[in-house]
Amino acid sequence: MIELVIPARKKDLGGFEVGRVLPFPQRRMVGPFIFLDHMGPADFAAGHGIDVRPHPHIGLATVTYLFDGEIMHRDSLGSTQAIRPGEVNWMTAGRGIVHSERSDIAVRSKASRLHGMQSWVALPVESEETNPAFSHHAAADLAKFETRGVRGTLIAGTAYGLTSAVPTFSPMFYVYLELDPGARIDLPDGHEERGVYIVSGRVEASGAEYDSGNLLVFGPGASVIGTNESPARVMLLGGASVGPRHIWWNLVSSSLERMEEAKADWRAGRMKLPPDDDREFIPLPEEPPQAPIHLM
């Protein structure tokens, strides 16, 4: 059964549009996933690209997965890593990390397209203050499977009898699927909460069809998704709940006091900037805690 359908809401991040899926007023999280953005597709003329200046995170892990384009990641650990389609950047913020995301000079030299998903995974309470870390995983190293007109890539966690090499902190799954016309597949079992985000095409579930740009949140029990006359691409996500979380700007925590500490640290310049990108940063916004803000 589908418990809720969440439409992506368009958000302009300074000339770059995303579809904001999570958090949603009626559903803050699906498993440990507390934030989900559908980036683009966005087309840039030569000389243009994205420039997300250095900003902080705590209490979460960021997961970037691209379909088109390239993003250069830099963080306060000294990591500098381009991410390209089919690869995974997993950044564990833990007690605190600062990173930037930009289009590199080579990408800006010609017209380009950017399309992908960015998600935040809330860390369990016992791991919220873990040491920050960054890991990159090549497309060839990710677990893949194929069955009855469905091709899948396991990005993180466990699903369909596979376990990803991407480091995780709680039971979860994150899967990219390509479905041919007429394909059917069961959703992963053994997980407490499950969602299906439709990247492109139309998907049939529980006797109805749903367009791209919607997150279908499923209840427990056997569930099947499929396609009819056209192909589709979807992201499967979910896992065990890690409990309630506060989210404000780029900060996630089970403790409001901890969030205030992080805000004060960023305001006072006590958080290290990426060594290869330390000439500017995003200032702490003066916004009420009731208004979650995300700048990638």
Side-chain angles (χ1 to χ4, degrees), residues 20 30 69 97 114 164 177 191 193 226 232 252 260 284:
R20 181 65 44 79
V30 177
I97 199 168
L114 184 63
S164 172
L177 293 183
H191 290 283
E193 300 181 3
V252 167
E260 290 301 318
L284 191 76

Side-chain angles (χ1 to χ4, degrees), residues 87-140:
E87 301 174 345
V88 173
N89 272 8
W90 176 286
M91 184 184 74
T92 302
R95 57 183 169 79
I97 199 168
V98 178
H99 77 137
S100 65
E101 293 158 299
R102 301 184 187 268
S103 298
D104 207 30
I105 295 174
V107 174
R108 295 176 192 268
S109 67
K110 55 185 181 299
S112 64
R113 164 169 282 208
L114 184 63
H115 186 201
M117 305 295 302
Q118 191 170 63
S119 58
W120 297 356
V121 176
L123 302 179
V125 172
E126 64 273 16
S127 302
E128 283 186 295
E129 296 298 312
T130 192
N131 291 332
F134 175 80
S135 65
H136 175 80
H137 303 265

Side-chain angles (χ1 to χ4, degrees), residues 174-190:
Y174 196 25
V175 180
Y176 170 56
L177 293 183
E178 296 177 336
L179 291 85
D180 291 338
R184 295 286 185 274
I185 189 170
D186 295 315
L187 295 189
D189 56 12

Side-chain angles (χ1 to χ4, degrees), residues 66-78:
L66 297 181
F67 310 120
D68 291 294
E70 178 182 312
I71 297 175
M72 183 63 71
H73 163 96
R74 296 179 177 89
D75 64 42
S76 50
L77 300 176

